Amino acid sequence: MLYTVLSPYLFTDETTILPKGGDPSTNRPKRSHHQPGWVRGHQKDGGDYSKEMPKYITAGGFARARAAEVKAMLKAVTKRPASCHVFETLPKHMRRRAMSHNTKRLPRRLRLMKKKEQTRSKSRKARRRHGNLLLEFNRRQRKNIWLETHIWHAKRFHMVKKWGYCLGDRPTYKCYRPCYRAMSSHCLLQDLSYYCCIELQGEEDRLLTGLSQLTSKEAGPTFAAALCLSGRRQGSVVVYRAGQYPSQPLGPVTFLWRPRTQGSTHRQLWIWAHPTLKQDLLAELRSVCDCSEAVVPVVVPEPSPAEVTPTVDSEPKPKTTPGAKRKRSSKDQSGPPAKKILGDGTRSPTTPVTWKSSSSTTVINDLTMEIIRYRLIGPQSHTVITEAFEAATSCDPSSLWWPEHCKDENKMHLHQQQADVFHLLKGIFSTAELPPGTILGLTVDDPRLTLPTKKVKALPCEKRRELVLSGVSEHCCQSFLWDRSVRDNVIDNKISEQELNRMRSEVLVPGSRLPVPPQGRVPVLLVHQPGKQVGHEMSSWGAGWDLLLPKGWGMAFWVPLVYRGVRIGGLNMSLKHSQNKSAPHFPHDYPDCPAGVHFQEEQEAELLDKFKRRPPAKRTNYIKHGCLAPFCCPWQQLAEEWEHITREGGEEREGAGRSRTTTEADTVMEGRWRPLVRIIRTHSSLRLLSGWCKPTTSKGQRACRLRLPPPSLDLSAVKSFLTSHRMTLVWVRLSLLSGGKPELHGIVCVPTSEDLKQLKASKKAAAPSLPSDKTVEKETELSSASDPNIPITSSSPLDLVLGLWPDPLPSVASHCSRLTLGWVTQGDFSLSAGCGEALGFVSVPGLLNTLQNQPMEHRGTVLLRNPTSLQYRFAKINTRSEPMHKFSYCQ
Amino acid sequence: MVRIKSRHLLCEINVTDRNCLLLLDDRAVLAAVKDTVLRMHGDYGAAPLCFLCVFLVKYLNAHTGIVFLRFPKNCYKLLWSALPFITSIESRGHKISCFFNCLHVGGTIRTCQKFLIRYNTQQLHRMLPKCKNEEEKQEIRQAILNCSLLRGKKEAFEEASESEEDEEE
């Protein structure tokens, strides 16, 4: 071995000291931060070569470089490889039998580490003890709140952490098609408890005036829609920031009003919103309702101090003394476990949940995690519900809420009516027969009492097809779930699972039904969810029921439902559900909302990360595929470019002597103005657009039969439309005419006239043979050879990802051989339509421009290309998108 | 254990101009070694280098000029004998004149790392008495202190990683 004492330059350089030096030292910490420890192979950020390189090095810098290296090496050497025991660090000849059993067999220097390892993990038995388990659960949901069905889900699902919750994404077993089948023929169950409920109380007109600032009549029925206001239907609106109607949307919400009580104008409203938009929505609501006074949270839940105190206690200090632990767990045995009734994931425990108005009686309550929401999707969901639940039976009076109610004649009468409607439900053929959004209040017995011993599939018993409800009358929509006192009573007096099992074991004939204990009545709300309302095939596919429960009863209702043979879906399935239903899904399909923008950023980072994990040679070369932005959709840029293109086109058509300089000046002005991109949600505009697009069924077969002649698409109409809708996008559904499966961020393009000719010639052919964009490939290859080289040399090589366009994107609209109209935000083979279907956005000026240049028989045909493919596919465009609002017209 | 045995050479690249050191990258070093071996030993010598999984530059520190070379065990002496003949490395269009100085030969990367730790600290210690002024001395002293992972710090680091693991559950 060769050992050099010191390298020769050490002596020479040591003497020279320059103030400029120390570059290695400045670089060093950055690198160690970037790639900690031991790095193998080439180090990319080995220095900025061309820039500030020191002419000489100082002794200090030299020493620092060595020191940093030593540190990195030390870290690498001392680090144990993951998942290995202490004794595995020993060389083999020093290992002994049963070292993990007897610590003394280890060398003395390792005993300490071993000891540490042992103390960290208590015995399994100790860890699984109830109190310790609860503590552990509490610790683990400090960051992300668990739903009540979390443990059930965690055993069966891939869990993801999203929006401050732990949610099941997709089951670990294969069930894509079974879930679809369940949705279309039986029932699929989802836990939507992570949706946030905001309660508004106050005078009706005051509430309505406040809420009217958030919505507009142009975009469909608002909070004041008569049917919804009466409390018979659930409504759905897109909420905007106060008074900002066409711009600054927040996102879609659903809402339900509590039916009026006689002679009172005091109303109660529940707004259900996605957790990502909750904070914004809450702020807006507080501002429009003047509810600025926050009520201290300790004061609010006075009806149930017994239940609140453990939650408050357990949150800030999970590590209590052993004595306190025991006390806590004994308390938990009486009621539902404390960890399950914690607040919610989007706020800290000390933030107030109630806001009062100083001027009026309006009160805003944040009921997040207070109400559980289960969604049953599928035509047989009513069967599952009627099988699983029974309307509450009356019982002897006692102090509990239900016996109290039994004394009241009126209330019993109401309950009888509700139970009658519930029995009628058994008779209907499909869930979709009901008017969409129907609400039914009900009180049911504890469903655990009627739990079947084996899992059975709930099947419709009698098929009296003809019975269709004309909706539920208004007073039947009343439920005691609206009352906080009743809710708290129900939650406090829940029979624990343990108690129930004891009762079961004491029954004389094993397996016979238990008598209903007095506390086993739960008020619930059933809310009908409309199915597919656009397009012509599979109409009202995916209709179902939402079940609203008081908190704490989650598992008690979940298991009985599961025992009725439903499938369980996760987040993934709810995305597929809305996709098959052709409804926009929040936050994926709301790129103009803050939550949507945030989601897009997250998605981009995730996809980019995934992409970068592949070695460069194995990556898709998106430059070669002519795909500028495979991971995100630069809507803003697209809209701006189309603005520009249409303006230029218009000027050419005018043929006036205007020079191009004015256009440029215009664009410069526009560049300064930079309006944000908007999405059209106005009903009249959407109807006009869809008329122009000649909406057909997704395959374009039964096209013109049903339809009136489409409104004429003349220049002036288009022009006036465009002036009122600048910088807009529109949500479209695309269905492929032939094979092909659209994917995320596929490119929607304008077909040229030759393409359309080809389509006409080979109409019967399965796949239109399109140019597999070789020219594009060459062009981009050339450009990638010339253009991006400049950024390579100029910018640091870190910013550049091989296979992707460098950051300032060139023109996105005219990048490929075909003009880009928009991108796909969701795409898959649609099992309900039987062809590839995609949902996405296109630029409105671009779309109109395209439609104008297309012949009548091919109007609304566009090209679709996946980011990883060169093959274009023909697709039919369809812009009708008022899915959730239709119910207001049907009656 | 059954595995492909190899030898790791811990070399120091000595250059005349310190600035050139930053230009180095692993591919350039690889190419230079390959060239020289081909020149010295012909096709016979270059053949083992064709197995890229065995012949690699495992680590290169452009600030200190330390490089780990991995050679197949059966012929590492042959390849090693070619290293003194490297006089220049071509990297990014620049020709860097340099020579290799082999400090250590180890069977695993770990032994090389351990050696490097010892070697570097030793060097720093030797620099200390030769300092010209007080400021310099202070800096080097600081560097020597930095050379060790502090006990408390290390534990804190481990704790952090543990808590992260826990959150993952």
Side-chain angles (χ1 to χ4, degrees):
Chain A
M1 283 189 205
L2 297 171
Y3 285 84
T4 44
V5 177
L6 280 174
S7 26
Y9 53 79
L10 183 62
F11 299 110
T12 58
D13 285 346
E14 198 181 345
T15 52
T16 53
I17 296 169
L18 272 180
K20 199 184 151 200
D23 187 39
S25 62
T26 47
N27 271 3
R28 215 39 230 213
K30 189 181 129 207
R31 176 194 302 173
S32 57
H33 168 71
H34 193 238
Q35 300 166 321
W38 158 253
V39 187
R40 60 170 52 174
H42 172 54
Q43 298 179 335
K44 279 254 169 73
D45 54 348
D48 300 327
Y49 300 101
S50 52
K51 284 186 278 177
E52 8 157 14
M53 240 190 316
K55 194 103 184 172
Y56 305 96
I57 64 154
T58 58
F62 184 91
R64 271 194 292 263
R66 306 284 135 149
E69 191 175 49
V70 167
K71 210 170 180 181
M73 291 291 155
L74 264 178
K75 212 179 244 175
V77 167
T78 51
K79 199 176 72 182
R80 266 185 292 135
S83 77
C84 102
H85 293 283
V86 169
F87 56 83
E88 277 176 30
T89 54
L90 279 176
K92 231 179 289 163
H93 66 276
M94 289 176 72
R95 293 189 195 167
R96 293 290 176 268
R97 215 161 39 87
M99 267 179 171
S100 52
H101 175 67
N102 189 355
T103 333
K104 293 210 170 144
R105 296 184 196 202
L106 273 173
R108 193 168 286 160
R109 68 187 161 90
L110 290 179
R111 272 178 213 165
L112 206 69
M113 282 164 82
K114 178 72 187 170
K115 213 175 212 174
K116 201 175 130 210
E117 204 175 57
Q118 272 179 343
T119 48
R120 201 174 59 208
S121 54
K122 278 183 253 172
S123 76
R124 185 183 156 79
K125 199 177 171 193
R127 272 182 286 137
R128 305 296 293 181
R129 212 168 279 147
H130 188 64
N132 292 348
L133 202 58
L134 283 187
L135 274 186
E136 176 73 5
F137 287 169
N138 273 335
R139 187 186 63 77
R140 273 156 59 183
Q141 51 179 320
R142 254 178 302 178
K143 260 188 206 159
N144 293 289
I145 295 289
W146 292 358
L147 303 184
E148 285 187 18
T149 53
H150 176 86
I151 293 174
W152 193 94
H153 272 102
K155 288 174 184 167
R156 295 161 178 86
F157 276 65
H158 295 285
M159 304 302 283
V160 291
K161 279 163 189 147
K162 266 195 168 172
W163 313 312
Y165 295 90
C166 267
L167 303 173
D169 186 32
R170 55 192 196 283
T172 48
Y173 45 86
K174 289 184 184 177
C175 68
Y176 180 71
R177 266 166 195 261
C179 279
Y180 171 75
R181 237 176 280 135
M183 276 194 277
S184 47
S185 62
H186 192 248
C187 181
L188 181 94
L189 178 62
Q190 284 179 330
D191 190 353
L192 290 190
S193 308
Y194 61 91
Y195 266 76
C196 302
C197 178
I198 298 171
E199 186 185 56
L200 269 70
Q201 290 179 7
E203 300 298 313
E204 180 178 320
D205 43 350
R206 265 180 182 279
L207 283 181
L208 283 179
T209 46
L211 290 172
S212 65
Q213 295 174 38
L214 299 180
T215 55
S216 163
K217 276 199 175 126
E218 285 173 37
T222 60
F223 285 104
L227 264 175
C228 304
L229 191 58
S230 68
R232 295 173 66 188
R233 298 287 157 82
Q234 178 190 242
S236 136
V237 287
V238 176
V239 175
Y240 293 78
R241 282 197 193 279
Q244 302 276 352
Y245 158 60
S247 54
Q248 300 198 28
L250 285 177
V253 296
T254 58
F255 61 92
L256 36 149
W257 289 91
R258 184 177 189 176
R260 289 187 183 86
T261 44
Q262 257 133 32
S264 161
T265 53
H266 191 265
R267 295 298 299 270
Q268 217 172 335
L269 168 70
W270 278 352
I271 297 177
W272 286 86
H274 196 270
T276 48
L277 74 98
K278 188 189 110 183
Q279 287 307 333
D280 290 333
L281 178 67
L282 208 55
E284 284 305 313
L285 283 176
R286 276 168 54 197
S287 72
V288 297
C289 294
D290 295 326
C291 292
S292 45
E293 278 180 47
V295 181
V296 188
V298 187
V299 184
V300 188
E302 73 271 81
S304 59
E307 167 254 307
V308 172
T309 36
T311 68
V312 172
D313 280 349
S314 63
E315 181 85 332
K317 38 171 187 177
K319 280 179 189 172
T320 44
T321 54
K325 251 187 262 172
R326 197 144 302 155
K327 199 173 159 196
R328 240 173 53 76
S329 60
S330 68
K331 194 184 277 177
D332 285 333
Q333 279 165 10
S334 61
K339 51 120 188 162
K340 294 193 170 174
I341 330 178
L342 284 181
D344 79 289
T346 52
R347 65 154 188 257
S348 64
T350 49
T351 44
V353 290
T354 308
W355 292 271
K356 264 196 309 197
S357 167
S358 50
S359 57
S360 60
T361 55
T362 314
V363 177
I364 296 180
N365 261 321
D366 185 359
L367 292 188
T368 310
M369 298 293 283
E370 294 274 315
I371 311 284
I372 288 174
R373 191 178 185 115
Y374 291 155
R375 176 163 288 174
L376 295 103
I377 304 164
Q380 293 304 321
S381 38
H382 65 281
T383 322
V384 173
I385 288 178
T386 48
E387 189 111 330
F389 306 140
E390 275 179 21
T393 46
S394 59
C395 67
D396 304 328
S398 68
S399 66
L400 299 161
W401 77 277
W402 180 248
E404 291 280 310
H405 281 265
C406 287
K407 279 184 260 176
D408 192 336
E409 191 69 23
N410 279 338
K411 282 176 179 166
M412 279 324 284
H413 184 62
L414 172 64
H415 175 69
Q416 199 52 50
Q417 279 174 327
Q418 285 177 342
D420 285 345
V421 176
F422 186 66
H423 288 308
L424 277 182
L425 264 185
K426 276 181 196 160
I428 62 170
F429 179 61
S430 157
T431 308
E433 284 172 26
L434 291 171
T438 305
I439 296 173
L440 174 63
L442 196 64
T443 310
V444 296
D445 279 343
D446 189 345
R448 288 174 294 178
L449 301 172
T450 53
L451 190 72
T453 45
K454 267 186 190 172
K455 211 166 165 177
V456 287
K457 192 163 184 177
L459 289 173
C461 42
E462 44 198 318
K463 292 187 178 175
R464 285 179 293 154
R465 280 165 172 260
E466 288 73 32
L467 182 78
V468 177
L469 297 178
S470 66
V472 181
S473 60
E474 190 179 326
H475 59 276
C476 285
C477 307
Q478 186 65 268
S479 168
F480 295 104
L481 190 64
W482 291 93
D483 282 333
R484 177 180 275 275
S485 57
V486 173
R487 274 205 311 267
D488 290 335
N489 192 315
V490 171
I491 293 160
D492 289 345
N493 296 311
K494 186 191 163 192
I495 310 176
S496 71
E497 200 73 22
Q498 190 188 9
E499 181 74 5
L500 208 67
N501 284 338
R502 193 187 54 75
M503 281 160 63
R504 280 202 189 113
S505 66
E506 282 171 2
V507 168
L508 274 182
V509 184
S512 64
R513 252 198 82 166
L514 285 174
V516 185
Q519 60 266 53
R521 269 80 174 185
V522 191
V524 297
L525 262 182
L526 294 172
V527 182
H528 183 259
Q529 287 296 322
K532 183 171 176 174
Q533 300 186 326
V534 287
H536 291 280
E537 65 282 300
M538 309 282 290
S539 78
S540 74
W541 179 91
W545 286 95
D546 273 13
L547 181 65
L548 308 190
L549 308 169
K551 69 178 172 184
W553 283 83
M555 279 315 286
F557 277 74
W558 184 263
V559 172
L561 286 174
V562 172
Y563 265 61
R564 262 64 183 200
V566 299
R567 286 259 163 198
I568 318 295
L571 287 180
N572 188 24
M573 236 346 117
S574 64
L575 183 68
K576 290 290 166 220
H577 174 232
S578 70
Q579 194 176 323
N580 277 328
K581 225 168 74 169
S582 307
H585 190 256
F586 191 83
H588 298 63
D589 291 331
Y590 288 83
D592 52 341
C593 301
V597 172
H598 183 69
F599 170 80
Q600 271 212 337
E601 282 163 6
E602 261 178 12
Q603 192 186 38
E604 187 191 355
E606 194 181 311
L607 290 174
L608 189 65
D609 190 42
K610 200 175 170 193
F611 182 72
K612 274 186 186 164
R613 277 205 297 263
R614 286 180 165 267
K618 303 288 185 293
R619 291 175 191 165
T620 313
N621 191 342
Y622 286 112
I623 300 176
K624 275 194 174 177
H625 280 96
C627 179
L628 276 184
F631 305 135
C632 64
C633 308
W635 299 116
Q636 186 75 27
Q637 196 182 346
L638 179 83
E640 273 167 19
E641 276 169 23
W642 269 108
E643 259 329 277
H644 194 63
I645 290 172
T646 46
R647 184 156 323 155
E648 271 183 1
E651 256 159 43
E652 274 168 29
R653 214 166 292 147
E654 273 172 24
R658 276 196 204 171
S659 60
R660 275 189 67 120
T661 49
T662 53
T663 333
E664 274 163 24
D666 274 3
T667 50
V668 166
M669 258 180 61
E670 203 176 28
R672 216 182 312 132
W673 179 40
R674 276 185 82 88
L676 282 177
V677 67
R678 287 207 329 253
I679 287 165
I680 298 188
R681 296 211 173 83
T682 320
H683 261 212
S684 53
S685 315
L686 281 178
R687 206 166 302 136
L688 204 60
L689 260 184
S690 69
W692 281 335
C693 289
K694 199 178 75 171
T696 56
T697 57
S698 57
K699 290 208 164 189
Q701 291 151 353
R702 290 179 279 165
C704 301
R705 230 173 351 127
L706 309 163
R707 208 156 303 280
L708 303 167
S712 65
L713 183 66
D714 55 350
L715 208 58
S716 58
V718 168
K719 228 166 182 180
S720 64
F721 188 86
L722 279 187
T723 45
S724 58
H725 296 95
R726 295 165 58 82
M727 296 282 294
T728 47
L729 302 174
V730 66
W731 185 79
V732 292
R733 297 187 294 132
L734 301 157
S735 30
L736 296 191
L737 295 185
S738 58
K741 178 185 163 224
E743 277 164 15
L744 186 70
H745 297 157
I747 308 161
V748 184
C749 296
V750 183
T752 59
S753 48
E754 289 86 59
D755 293 339
L756 290 178
K757 260 179 220 157
Q758 254 180 353
L759 174 69
K760 200 176 178 183
S762 61
K763 202 162 197 174
K764 290 292 158 198
S769 61
L770 259 195
S772 69
D773 239 357
K774 287 293 174 203
T775 50
V776 173
E777 192 185 345
K778 264 176 204 156
E779 274 167 30
T780 47
E781 220 169 337
L782 278 179
S783 62
S784 67
S786 60
D787 284 1
N789 264 358
I790 304 159
I792 284 178
T793 47
S794 64
S795 71
S796 78
L798 262 190
D799 300 341
L800 204 77
V801 183
L802 278 179
L804 281 184
W805 275 89
D807 201 19
L809 293 179
S811 157
V812 286
S814 51
H815 174 64
C816 298
S817 60
R818 315 277 189 294
L819 286 175
T820 305
L821 268 182
W823 289 279
V824 169
T825 53
Q826 287 177 46
D828 200 356
F829 184 83
S830 161
L831 292 170
S832 68
C835 63
E837 268 200 331
L839 311 177
F841 291 91
V842 295
S843 155
V844 172
L847 178 65
L848 290 180
N849 202 5
T850 314
L851 293 177
Q852 273 177 325
N853 299 334
Q854 282 179 341
M856 197 56 200
E857 70 266 27
H858 288 309
R859 190 161 282 174
T861 310
V862 289
L863 289 174
L864 194 65
R865 185 163 68 90
N866 284 340
T868 54
S869 132
L870 293 173
Q871 175 78 47
Y872 282 110
R873 310 263 184 194
F874 278 113
K876 193 87 196 137
I877 210 163
N878 202 335
T879 63
R880 187 64 80 111
S881 73
E882 65 257 44
M884 301 298 277
H885 310 314
K886 210 176 172 186
F887 65 92
S888 59
Y889 301 119
C890 54
Q891 197 151 20
Chain B
M1 270 215 292
V2 184
R3 60 172 182 187
I4 301 174
K5 299 252 166 77
S6 51
R7 284 278 174 260
H8 293 86
L9 268 68
L10 167 59
C11 300
E12 186 182 37
I13 303 174
N14 290 333
V15 289
T16 45
D17 185 10
R18 298 277 313 161
N19 296 354
C20 301
L21 214 50
L22 290 182
L23 288 173
L24 284 179
D25 67 353
D26 54 345
R27 267 180 226 166
V29 175
L30 212 67
V33 173
K34 239 181 204 173
D35 269 6
T36 322
V37 170
L38 194 65
R39 199 149 40 85
M40 289 297 110
H41 300 293
D43 286 345
Y44 175 72
L49 299 188
C50 294
F51 304 108
L52 266 183
C53 55
V54 184
F55 172 53
L56 272 178
V57 173
K58 295 297 287 188
Y59 174 81
L60 176 96
N61 192 334
H63 292 290
T64 52
I66 296 290
V67 62
F68 286 11
L69 294 172
R70 183 159 87 176
F71 289 141
K73 189 193 170 191
N74 52 1
C75 56
Y76 82 99
K77 281 192 174 157
L78 186 78
L79 303 174
W80 188 5
S81 65
L83 286 187
F85 295 95
I86 298 176
T87 51
S88 67
I89 293 175
E90 185 132 350
S91 169
R92 293 170 198 269
H94 298 267
K95 200 164 185 185
I96 308 161
S97 54
C98 63
F99 65 90
F100 274 59
N101 196 355
C102 188
L103 304 179
H104 178 78
V105 180
T108 59
I109 295 180
R110 218 176 167 82
T111 55
C112 288
Q113 287 171 331
K114 281 178 182 164
F115 173 78
L116 188 59
I117 294 166
R118 212 171 58 223
Y119 174 74
N120 272 344
T121 33
Q122 201 179 14
Q123 274 210 345
L124 289 177
H125 281 295
R126 284 188 191 179
M127 270 172 82
L128 195 59
K130 291 197 175 120
C131 283
K132 290 274 154 58
N133 52 19
E134 195 52 40
E135 186 189 352
E136 223 173 279
K137 206 166 203 169
Q138 194 56 42
E139 275 187 8
I140 290 170
R141 205 170 279 145
Q142 189 58 44
I144 289 173
L145 284 180
N146 276 344
C147 275
S148 57
L149 287 178
L150 285 177
R151 184 87 197 151
K153 244 184 200 171
K154 198 172 93 187
E155 275 177 0
F157 168 73
E158 275 179 11
E159 286 292 316
S161 66
E162 268 165 32
S163 66
E164 267 168 34
E165 278 162 27
D166 286 354
E167 292 301 327
E168 289 307 308
E169 287 162 20

